[in-house]
Amino acid sequence: MKILALETSTELCSAALWLDGRVDAREAVAGQRHSQLLLPMIDALLAQHGLAARELDGIAFGAGPGSFTGVRIACGVAQGIAFGIGVPVAGISTLLALAAASQA
């Protein structure tokens, strides 16, 4: 399974690719440049793994809480890509994701 995950609700901007249990991620301190950084991150991840967007099985995005504009960026990019390739989208609570990661 190939899932693209996006997070832009904090000052960090990140994109990650889940490939059958392996994770590859890109992140940068974005300040207010999430919209400039996110799509190039996605392109770099897909290119590194030799994937086209249409090969993804789904897209997840951090649904906050956090910056309203940041959440909208991740949601909009996720929905735009997913609609274009016909895959499902899942909004994931940023707090629940952080809590789950802290237990690992």
Side-chain angles (χ1 to χ4, degrees):
M1 182 157 277
K2 299 170 200 72
I3 299 173
L4 177 66
L6 312 174
E7 177 59 69
T8 58
S9 66
T10 68
E11 69 176 19
L12 282 179
C13 178
S14 63
L17 193 57
W18 169 277
L19 297 167
D20 297 321
R22 293 176 294 128
V23 177
D24 188 8
R26 302 285 181 277
E27 66 180 38
V29 176
Q32 296 181 348
R33 299 178 308 127
H34 295 84
S35 60
Q36 296 170 335
L37 299 173
L38 188 59
L39 288 172
M41 282 181 180
I42 294 168
D43 286 343
L45 274 172
L46 294 175
Q48 180 175 347
H49 294 280
L51 295 173
R54 67 182 173 276
E55 296 176 85
L56 296 171
D57 298 304
I59 302 177
F61 70 93
S67 159
F68 178 71
T69 300
V71 172
R72 287 178 52 201
I73 290 168
C75 179
V77 170
Q79 288 180 334
I81 295 170
F83 180 75
I85 61 175
V87 298
V89 175
I92 307 296
S93 165
T94 302
L95 288 178
L96 287 177
L98 287 169
S102 73
Q103 295 175 5

